[in-house]
Structure formats: C-alpha cells, structure tokens
Amino acid sequence: TLSSSSAASDVYKRQRENRPRTVAALGKLREARRQLASVASSSPLNEADVTKAMADVRDATDALQRLMQDLLLEALRSTNRTRSPS
C-alpha cells in the first residue's frame, strides 16, 4: 500500500529525480495565478480575460496534478515489482 515506507521513499526519490519538471510545473501554476489576480483586479473588469486566466489556472493545476500522479504510479509499480510474492 501507499503507506508502506518503501513506496513512500520511492515517491520521494522520484520527486527528487524529477525536481526540474516539478519546479517548472509549479512555476507555471504560480504565474497563472498571478495573471488571474492581475486581470481580476483590473478596472473595468474584462470578463473574457478573467475567464481565460481561470482556464489557464485550471490547466496549470491539471498539469501539476498529472505529473505528481504519474510519479506516484511509477513508484507504486516499482514497489510492486520488488515485493516478494506472499
């Protein structure tokens, strides 16, 4: 299971190995959020810009979540392969 120390340590190892990708994905999310805050506080409100900025935040959030879940799945596969049969 995910709670096993072997799986958890493999997840952390994969996160370290993929740090540049993770940092890039986080950077894109932060930038999308900054852009949303900027257009949302502009006057007069431009709904089209806010709608696009919201979509950009969703896309960046989705990309980061997919990356982290892919790393988790890789770790689970690896841990499952190294387990001895019961």
Side-chain angles (χ1 to χ4, degrees), residues 3-75:
S3 63
S4 76
S5 62
S6 175
S9 80
D10 200 27
V11 167
Y12 294 128
K13 175 184 168 218
R14 289 176 191 282
Q15 286 175 338
R16 281 190 308 274
E17 290 171 351
N18 289 277
R19 182 168 168 73
R21 290 173 59 202
T22 304
V23 168
L26 281 168
K28 288 179 182 177
L29 178 56
R30 286 186 189 114
E31 179 54 34
R33 287 178 175 165
R34 274 192 289 273
Q35 184 62 23
L36 174 57
S38 175
V39 298
S41 64
S42 65
S43 183
L45 180 66
N46 183 322
E47 288 188 35
D49 286 349
V50 171
T51 299
K52 181 188 180 317
M54 287 177 171
D56 291 345
V57 169
R58 284 192 302 273
D59 290 345
T61 300
D62 181 63
L64 177 59
Q65 185 173 9
R66 285 177 186 276
L67 172 60
M68 299 309 289
Q69 288 177 348
D70 287 348
L71 296 175
L72 174 59
L73 183 57
E74 288 174 17

